[in-house]
Coordinates of all heavy atoms in Angstrom, one line a residue:
M1 N -16.8 -26.3 15.4 CA -15.5 -26.8 14.8 C -15.9 -27.6 13.6 O -16.7 -28.5 13.6 CB -14.7 -27.7 15.8 CG -13.4 -28.1 15.1 SD -12.2 -28.6 16.5 CE -12.1 -30.3 16.2
S2 N -15.2 -27.4 12.4 CA -15.5 -28.1 11.2 C -15.0 -29.6 11.3 O -14.1 -29.9 12.0 CB -14.6 -27.6 10.1 OG -14.7 -28.4 8.9
R3 N -15.8 -30.4 10.7 CA -15.4 -31.9 10.8 C -14.6 -32.4 9.6 O -14.4 -33.5 9.4 CB -16.8 -32.8 10.8 CG -17.5 -32.6 12.1 CD -17.0 -33.0 13.4 NE -16.4 -34.3 13.3 CZ -15.5 -34.9 14.1 NH1 -15.0 -34.2 14.9 NH2 -15.3 -36.2 14.0
I4 N -14.2 -31.3 8.8 CA -13.4 -31.6 7.7 C -12.1 -31.1 8.0 O -11.8 -29.9 8.4 CB -14.0 -31.1 6.3 CG1 -15.4 -31.7 6.1 CG2 -13.0 -31.2 5.2 CD1 -16.0 -31.1 4.8
C5 N -11.0 -31.9 7.8 CA -9.7 -31.5 7.9 C -9.3 -30.2 7.1 O -9.7 -30.2 5.9 CB -8.7 -32.6 7.7 SG -6.9 -32.2 7.8
K6 N -8.6 -29.3 7.7 CA -8.2 -28.2 7.0 C -7.2 -28.4 5.8 O -7.1 -27.6 4.8 CB -7.6 -27.1 7.8 CG -6.3 -27.4 8.4 CD -5.8 -26.2 9.4 CE -4.5 -26.3 9.9 NZ -4.1 -25.3 10.7
W7 N -6.6 -29.5 5.9 CA -5.6 -29.9 4.8 C -6.2 -30.8 3.8 O -5.5 -31.2 2.8 CB -4.4 -30.7 5.5 CG -3.7 -29.9 6.5 CD1 -3.7 -30.1 7.9 CD2 -2.9 -28.9 6.3 NE1 -3.0 -29.2 8.5 CE2 -2.3 -28.3 7.7 CE3 -2.4 -28.1 5.2 CZ2 -1.6 -27.3 7.7 CZ3 -1.5 -27.1 5.4 CH2 -1.1 -26.7 6.7
Y8 N -7.4 -31.1 3.9 CA -8.2 -32.0 2.9 C -7.8 -31.7 1.5 O -7.6 -32.6 0.6 CB -9.6 -32.2 3.3 CG -10.3 -33.0 2.4 CD1 -10.1 -34.4 2.2 CD2 -11.4 -32.6 1.4 CE1 -10.7 -35.2 1.4 CE2 -12.0 -33.4 0.7 CZ -11.8 -34.8 0.6 OH -12.5 -35.6 -0.3
A9 N -8.1 -30.5 1.1 CA -8.0 -30.2 -0.3 C -6.7 -30.3 -0.9 O -6.6 -30.5 -2.1 CB -8.4 -28.5 -0.5
V10 N -5.7 -30.3 -0.2 CA -4.3 -30.5 -0.7 C -3.7 -31.8 -0.2 O -2.5 -32.1 -0.6 CB -3.3 -29.4 -0.2 CG1 -3.8 -28.0 -0.9 CG2 -3.3 -29.3 1.3
C11 N -4.4 -32.7 0.4 CA -3.9 -33.9 0.9 C -3.8 -34.9 -0.2 O -4.8 -35.2 -0.9 CB -4.7 -34.4 2.1 SG -4.2 -35.9 2.9
P12 N -2.7 -35.7 -0.3 CA -2.6 -36.7 -1.2 C -3.6 -37.9 -1.1 O -3.9 -38.6 -2.0 CB -1.2 -37.3 -1.0 CG -0.5 -36.3 -0.1 CD -1.4 -35.6 0.5
I13 N -4.1 -38.1 0.2 CA -5.1 -39.1 0.4 C -6.3 -38.8 -0.5 O -6.8 -39.7 -1.0 CB -5.5 -39.2 2.0 CG1 -4.2 -39.6 2.8 CG2 -6.6 -40.2 2.2 CD1 -3.4 -40.8 2.4
K14 N -6.7 -37.6 -0.4 CA -8.0 -37.2 -1.4 C -7.6 -37.6 -2.8 O -8.4 -38.2 -3.5 CB -8.1 -35.7 -1.2 CG -9.3 -35.2 -2.1 CD -9.4 -33.7 -1.9 CE -10.5 -33.1 -2.7 NZ -10.1 -32.9 -4.2
R15 N -6.5 -37.2 -3.3 CA -6.0 -37.5 -4.7 C -6.1 -39.0 -5.0 O -6.5 -39.4 -6.0 CB -4.7 -36.8 -5.0 CG -4.2 -37.1 -6.5 CD -2.9 -36.4 -6.7 NE -2.0 -36.3 -5.8 CZ -0.9 -37.3 -5.6 NH1 -0.9 -38.3 -6.6 NH2 -0.1 -37.2 -4.7
F16 N -5.5 -39.7 -4.0 CA -5.3 -41.2 -4.2 C -6.7 -41.9 -4.3 O -6.9 -42.8 -5.1 CB -4.6 -41.8 -3.1 CG -3.0 -41.6 -3.1 CD1 -2.3 -41.3 -2.0 CD2 -2.4 -41.5 -4.4 CE1 -1.0 -41.0 -2.1 CE2 -1.0 -41.2 -4.5 CZ -0.3 -41.0 -3.2
C17 N -7.7 -41.3 -3.5 CA -9.0 -41.8 -3.6 C -9.7 -41.6 -4.9 O -10.4 -42.3 -5.5 CB -9.9 -41.3 -2.4 SG -9.4 -42.1 -0.8
E18 N -9.5 -40.3 -5.3 CA -10.1 -39.8 -6.6 C -9.5 -40.6 -7.7 O -10.2 -40.8 -8.8 CB -9.8 -38.3 -6.8 CG -10.6 -37.4 -5.9 CD -10.2 -35.9 -6.0 OE1 -9.1 -35.8 -6.5 OE2 -11.0 -35.1 -5.5
E19 N -8.3 -41.1 -7.8 CA -7.6 -41.8 -8.8 C -8.0 -43.3 -8.6 O -7.5 -44.1 -9.4 CB -6.1 -41.6 -8.7 CG -5.7 -40.1 -9.0 CD -4.2 -39.9 -8.8 OE1 -3.5 -40.8 -8.2 OE2 -3.8 -38.8 -9.3
G20 N -8.7 -43.7 -7.7 CA -9.1 -45.1 -7.5 C -8.0 -45.9 -6.9 O -8.1 -47.2 -6.9
K21 N -7.0 -45.3 -6.3 CA -5.8 -46.1 -5.7 C -6.0 -46.3 -4.2 O -5.2 -47.1 -3.8 CB -4.5 -45.2 -5.9 CG -4.1 -45.1 -7.4 CD -3.0 -44.2 -7.5 CE -2.5 -43.9 -9.0 NZ -1.4 -43.1 -9.1
L22 N -7.0 -45.7 -3.7 CA -7.2 -45.9 -2.2 C -8.7 -45.9 -1.9 O -9.5 -45.3 -2.7 CB -6.5 -44.7 -1.4 CG -6.2 -44.8 0.0 CD1 -5.3 -46.0 0.3 CD2 -5.5 -43.5 0.5
E23 N -9.0 -46.6 -0.9 CA -10.4 -46.8 -0.5 C -10.9 -45.5 0.1 O -10.2 -44.9 0.8 CB -10.6 -47.9 0.6 CG -10.0 -49.3 0.1 CD -8.5 -49.4 0.3 OE1 -7.9 -48.5 1.1 OE2 -7.9 -50.3 -0.3
W24 N -12.2 -45.1 -0.2 CA -12.8 -43.9 0.3 C -13.0 -43.8 1.8 O -13.2 -42.9 2.4 CB -14.0 -43.6 -0.4 CG -13.9 -42.9 -1.7 CD1 -13.9 -43.5 -2.9 CD2 -13.5 -41.6 -2.0 NE1 -13.6 -42.7 -3.9 CE2 -13.5 -41.4 -3.5 CE3 -13.3 -40.5 -1.2 CZ2 -13.1 -40.2 -4.0 CZ3 -12.9 -39.3 -1.8 CH2 -12.9 -39.2 -3.2
R25 N -13.0 -45.1 2.4 CA -13.0 -45.1 3.9 C -12.1 -44.2 4.6 O -12.4 -43.8 5.7 CB -13.0 -46.5 4.3 CG -11.7 -47.2 4.3 CD -11.7 -48.6 4.9 NE -10.4 -49.2 5.0 CZ -9.6 -49.1 6.1 NH1 -9.9 -48.3 7.0 NH2 -8.3 -49.7 5.9
W26 N -10.9 -44.1 4.1 CA -9.9 -43.3 4.7 C -10.4 -41.8 4.8 O -10.2 -41.1 5.8 CB -8.6 -43.4 3.9 CG -7.9 -44.7 3.9 CD1 -7.9 -45.5 2.9 CD2 -7.3 -45.2 5.1 NE1 -7.3 -46.7 3.4 CE2 -6.8 -46.5 4.7 CE3 -6.9 -44.8 6.4 CZ2 -6.1 -47.4 5.4 CZ3 -6.2 -45.7 7.2 CH2 -5.8 -46.9 6.8
V27 N -11.0 -41.3 3.7 CA -11.6 -39.9 3.8 C -12.7 -39.9 4.8 O -12.7 -39.0 5.5 CB -12.0 -39.6 2.4 CG1 -12.9 -38.3 2.4 CG2 -10.9 -39.4 1.4
R28 N -13.6 -40.8 4.8 CA -14.8 -40.9 5.7 C -14.2 -40.9 7.2 O -14.8 -40.2 8.0 CB -15.6 -42.0 5.4 CG -16.5 -41.8 4.2 CD -17.6 -42.9 4.1 NE -17.1 -44.3 4.2 CZ -16.7 -45.0 3.2 NH1 -16.7 -44.5 2.0 NH2 -16.3 -46.2 3.4
E29 N -13.3 -41.7 7.5 CA -12.9 -42.0 8.8 C -12.0 -40.9 9.3 O -12.1 -40.6 10.6 CB -12.2 -43.4 8.9 CG -13.1 -44.5 8.7 CD -12.4 -45.9 8.8 OE1 -11.4 -46.0 9.4 OE2 -13.1 -46.8 8.2
Y30 N -11.2 -40.4 8.5 CA -10.2 -39.5 9.0 C -10.4 -38.0 8.5 O -10.7 -37.0 9.2 CB -8.8 -39.8 8.6 CG -8.2 -40.9 9.3 CD1 -8.3 -42.3 8.9 CD2 -7.7 -40.8 10.6 CE1 -8.0 -43.4 9.5 CE2 -7.2 -41.9 11.3 CZ -7.4 -43.2 10.8 OH -7.0 -44.2 11.5
C31 N -10.3 -37.7 7.1 CA -10.5 -36.4 6.6 C -11.7 -35.7 6.9 O -11.7 -34.4 7.1 CB -10.2 -36.5 5.0 SG -8.8 -37.4 4.4
K32 N -12.9 -36.6 6.8 CA -14.2 -35.9 7.0 C -14.8 -36.7 8.3 O -15.9 -36.6 8.4 CB -15.0 -36.2 5.8 CG -14.7 -35.4 4.5 CD -15.6 -35.6 3.5 CE -15.2 -34.8 2.2 NZ -16.2 -34.9 1.1
G33 N -13.9 -37.0 9.2 CA -14.3 -37.5 10.5 C -13.5 -37.1 11.5 O -13.4 -35.9 11.9
N34 N -12.7 -38.1 12.1 CA -11.8 -37.9 13.3 C -10.5 -37.5 12.8 O -9.5 -38.3 13.1 CB -12.0 -39.0 14.2 CG -11.5 -38.5 15.6 OD1 -11.0 -37.4 15.8 ND2 -11.5 -39.4 16.6
Y35 N -10.3 -36.5 12.1 CA -9.1 -36.0 11.5 C -8.0 -35.7 12.6 O -6.7 -35.8 12.4 CB -9.1 -34.9 10.6 CG -9.6 -33.5 11.2 CD1 -8.6 -32.8 11.8 CD2 -10.9 -33.3 11.1 CE1 -9.1 -31.6 12.3 CE2 -11.3 -32.0 11.6 CZ -10.4 -31.2 12.3 OH -10.8 -30.0 12.7
M36 N -8.4 -35.5 13.8 CA -7.6 -35.2 15.0 C -6.6 -36.5 15.3 O -5.6 -36.4 15.9 CB -8.2 -34.7 16.1 CG -8.9 -33.3 16.0 SD -7.8 -32.0 15.7 CE -7.2 -31.7 17.3
N37 N -7.1 -37.6 14.8 CA -6.4 -38.9 15.0 C -5.6 -39.2 13.9 O -4.8 -40.3 13.8 CB -7.4 -40.0 15.4 CG -8.0 -40.0 16.7 OD1 -7.4 -39.4 17.6 ND2 -9.1 -40.6 16.9
C38 N -5.5 -38.4 12.8 CA -4.7 -38.7 11.7 C -3.2 -38.3 11.9 O -2.9 -37.2 12.3 CB -5.2 -37.8 10.6 SG -4.3 -38.0 8.9
V39 N -2.4 -39.4 11.7 CA -1.0 -39.1 11.8 C -0.5 -38.0 10.9 O 0.3 -37.2 11.2 CB -0.2 -40.4 11.7 CG1 1.2 -40.2 11.7 CG2 -0.6 -41.6 12.7
R40 N -1.0 -38.0 9.7 CA -0.5 -37.0 8.6 C -1.0 -35.6 9.2 O -0.1 -34.7 9.1 CB -1.2 -37.1 7.4 CG -0.9 -38.6 6.7 CD -1.6 -38.6 5.4 NE -1.2 -37.5 4.5 CZ -0.1 -37.6 3.7 NH1 0.7 -38.6 3.6 NH2 0.2 -36.5 3.0
Y41 N -2.1 -35.5 9.7 CA -2.6 -34.2 10.2 C -1.7 -33.7 11.4 O -1.3 -32.6 11.4 CB -3.9 -34.3 10.8 CG -4.5 -33.0 11.5 CD1 -5.0 -31.9 10.8 CD2 -4.4 -32.9 12.8 CE1 -5.5 -30.9 11.5 CE2 -4.9 -31.7 13.5 CZ -5.4 -30.7 12.8 OH -5.8 -29.6 13.5
K42 N -1.4 -34.6 12.3 CA -0.5 -34.2 13.5 C 0.9 -33.8 12.9 O 1.4 -32.8 13.4 CB -0.4 -35.3 14.4 CG -1.7 -35.7 15.1 CD -1.5 -37.0 16.1 CE -2.9 -37.4 16.6 NZ -2.8 -38.6 17.4
M43 N 1.4 -34.6 11.9 CA 2.7 -34.2 11.5 C 2.8 -32.9 10.8 O 3.7 -32.1 10.9 CB 3.3 -35.4 10.6 CG 3.6 -36.6 11.4 SD 4.2 -38.0 10.4 CE 5.9 -37.5 10.3
E44 N 1.7 -32.7 9.9 CA 1.6 -31.4 9.2 C 1.5 -30.2 10.2 O 2.1 -29.3 10.0 CB 0.3 -31.4 8.4 CG 0.3 -30.4 7.2 CD 1.3 -30.6 6.2 OE1 1.6 -31.7 5.8 OE2 2.0 -29.5 5.8
E45 N 0.8 -30.4 11.2 CA 0.6 -29.3 12.3 C 1.9 -29.0 13.0 O 2.2 -27.8 13.4 CB -0.5 -29.6 13.2 CG -1.9 -29.7 12.7 CD -2.4 -28.3 12.3 OE1 -2.6 -27.4 13.2 OE2 -2.5 -28.1 11.1
E46 N 2.8 -29.9 13.1 CA 4.1 -29.8 13.7 C 5.2 -29.5 12.8 O 6.3 -29.3 13.2 CB 4.4 -31.1 14.6 CG 3.4 -31.4 15.7 CD 3.7 -32.7 16.4 OE1 4.8 -33.1 16.3 OE2 2.8 -33.1 17.2
G47 N 4.8 -29.3 11.4 CA 5.8 -29.1 10.5 C 6.8 -30.2 10.2 O 7.9 -29.9 9.8
I48 N 6.4 -31.4 10.5 CA 7.3 -32.5 10.2 C 6.9 -33.1 8.9 O 5.9 -33.5 8.5 CB 7.0 -33.6 11.3 CG1 7.2 -33.1 12.7 CG2 7.9 -34.9 11.1 CD1 6.8 -34.0 13.9
P49 N 8.1 -33.2 8.0 CA 7.9 -33.8 6.7 C 7.4 -35.3 6.8 O 7.8 -36.0 7.7 CB 9.3 -33.8 6.1 CG 9.9 -32.7 6.9 CD 9.4 -32.8 8.3
H50 N 6.6 -35.6 5.9 CA 6.1 -37.1 5.7 C 5.8 -37.3 4.3 O 5.5 -36.4 3.6 CB 4.8 -37.3 6.6 CG 3.8 -36.2 6.5 ND1 3.9 -35.0 6.9 CD2 2.7 -36.3 5.7 CE1 2.8 -34.2 6.6 NE2 2.1 -35.0 5.9
P51 N 6.0 -38.6 3.9 CA 5.8 -39.0 2.5 C 4.3 -39.0 2.1 O 3.4 -39.2 2.9 CB 6.3 -40.5 2.5 CG 6.2 -41.0 3.9 CD 6.3 -39.8 4.7
D52 N 4.0 -38.8 0.8 CA 2.7 -38.8 0.3 C 2.0 -40.1 0.4 O 0.7 -40.0 0.6 CB 2.8 -38.4 -1.2 CG 3.0 -37.0 -1.5 OD1 3.0 -36.1 -0.5 OD2 3.1 -36.5 -2.6
N53 N 2.8 -41.1 0.4 CA 2.1 -42.5 0.6 C 2.0 -43.0 2.0 O 1.7 -44.1 2.2 CB 2.9 -43.5 -0.3 CG 4.3 -43.7 0.2 OD1 4.9 -43.0 0.9 ND2 4.9 -44.9 -0.2
M54 N 2.0 -42.0 3.0 CA 1.7 -42.4 4.4 C 0.2 -42.3 4.5 O -0.4 -41.3 4.2 CB 2.3 -41.4 5.3 CG 2.0 -41.7 6.8 SD 2.5 -40.5 7.9 CE 4.3 -41.1 8.2
L55 N -0.4 -43.4 5.2 CA -1.7 -43.4 5.4 C -2.1 -42.7 6.7 O -1.2 -42.4 7.5 CB -2.2 -44.8 5.4 CG -2.1 -45.8 4.2 CD1 -2.4 -47.1 4.5 CD2 -3.0 -45.2 3.1
P56 N -3.4 -42.3 6.8 CA -3.7 -41.6 8.0 C -3.3 -42.3 9.3 O -3.2 -41.5 10.4 CB -5.3 -41.4 7.9 CG -5.4 -41.4 6.4 CD -4.5 -42.4 5.8
D57 N -3.3 -43.6 9.3 CA -3.0 -44.3 10.5 C -1.4 -44.5 10.7 O -0.9 -45.1 11.6 CB -3.5 -45.7 10.6 CG -3.0 -46.6 9.5 OD1 -2.1 -46.3 8.7 OD2 -3.7 -47.7 9.4
G58 N -0.6 -43.8 9.8 CA 0.9 -43.8 9.9 C 1.6 -44.8 9.1 O 2.8 -44.8 8.9
R59 N 0.9 -45.8 8.7 CA 1.5 -46.8 7.8 C 1.8 -46.3 6.4 O 1.2 -45.4 5.9 CB 0.5 -48.2 7.6 CG 0.4 -48.9 8.9 CD -0.5 -50.1 8.6 NE -1.8 -49.6 8.4 CZ -2.7 -50.2 7.6 NH1 -2.3 -51.4 6.9 NH2 -3.9 -49.8 7.3
I60 N 2.9 -46.9 5.9 CA 3.4 -46.5 4.5 C 2.8 -47.5 3.6 O 3.0 -48.7 3.8 CB 4.9 -46.4 4.5 CG1 5.5 -45.5 5.4 CG2 5.3 -46.1 3.0 CD1 5.1 -44.1 5.3
R61 N 2.1 -47.1 2.5 CA 1.7 -48.0 1.4 C 2.6 -47.8 0.2 O 2.4 -46.8 -0.5 CB 0.2 -47.8 1.2 CG -0.3 -48.9 0.3 CD -1.8 -48.9 0.0 NE -2.5 -49.3 1.2 CZ -3.9 -49.4 1.2 NH1 -4.5 -49.0 0.1 NH2 -4.6 -49.7 2.3
E62 N 3.5 -48.8 0.1 CA 4.4 -48.6 -1.1 C 3.7 -48.5 -2.5 O 4.4 -48.0 -3.4 CB 5.4 -49.8 -1.0 CG 6.3 -49.9 0.2 CD 7.2 -48.7 0.3 OE1 7.6 -48.0 -0.8 OE2 7.6 -48.4 1.4
S63 N 2.6 -49.2 -2.6 CA 1.9 -49.1 -3.9 C 1.4 -47.8 -4.3 O 1.1 -47.6 -5.5 CB 0.9 -50.2 -3.9 OG -0.2 -49.7 -3.0
L64 N 1.3 -46.8 -3.5 CA 0.7 -45.5 -3.8 C 1.9 -44.6 -4.4 O 2.9 -44.5 -3.7 CB 0.2 -44.8 -2.5 CG -1.0 -45.5 -1.9 CD1 -1.4 -44.8 -0.6 CD2 -2.2 -45.4 -2.9
K65 N 1.8 -44.2 -5.5 CA 2.6 -43.2 -6.2 C 2.0 -42.0 -6.7 O 0.7 -42.1 -7.1 CB 3.4 -44.0 -7.3 CG 4.1 -45.2 -6.8 CD 5.4 -44.7 -6.1 CE 6.2 -46.0 -5.6 NZ 6.9 -45.8 -4.4

């Protein structure tokens, strides 16, 4: 099984990190780590809409646009 989330390429978390708006630890810990614990991943798999500024732990970071 791949250790990289299948949604990584299109996930806003990746973009926010690339833009310097978010710490890369999110990618290491979730996207390229234990993505099964990512709230975004779970919601995506269930077809539940979620905001782009939702962190992998489920918190909303208002500063992310």
Side-chain angles (χ1 to χ4, degrees):
M1 182 162 114
S2 172
R3 295 296 302 158
I4 299 176
C5 176
K6 70 180 185 179
W7 301 108
Y8 178 65
V10 296
C11 184
I13 299 303
K14 175 182 181 281
R15 177 172 47 88
F16 289 140
C17 288
E18 289 171 342
E19 293 173 353
K21 296 178 181 177
L22 196 59
E23 305 83 14
W24 279 101
R25 72 176 182 88
W26 293 104
V27 168
R28 284 192 307 273
E29 292 176 22
Y30 289 94
C31 311
K32 293 184 176 181
N34 197 356
Y35 63 84
M36 296 294 282
N37 285 339
C38 177
V39 174
R40 298 183 57 85
Y41 173 82
K42 293 174 185 175
M43 292 179 80
E44 196 67 45
E45 290 295 291
E46 294 175 20
I48 301 170
H50 48 282
D52 282 356
N53 63 341
M54 175 188 279
L55 297 173
D57 65 6
R59 290 181 293 149
I60 304 294
R61 189 174 287 183
E62 295 296 338
S63 63
L64 294 175
K65 299 286 182 215

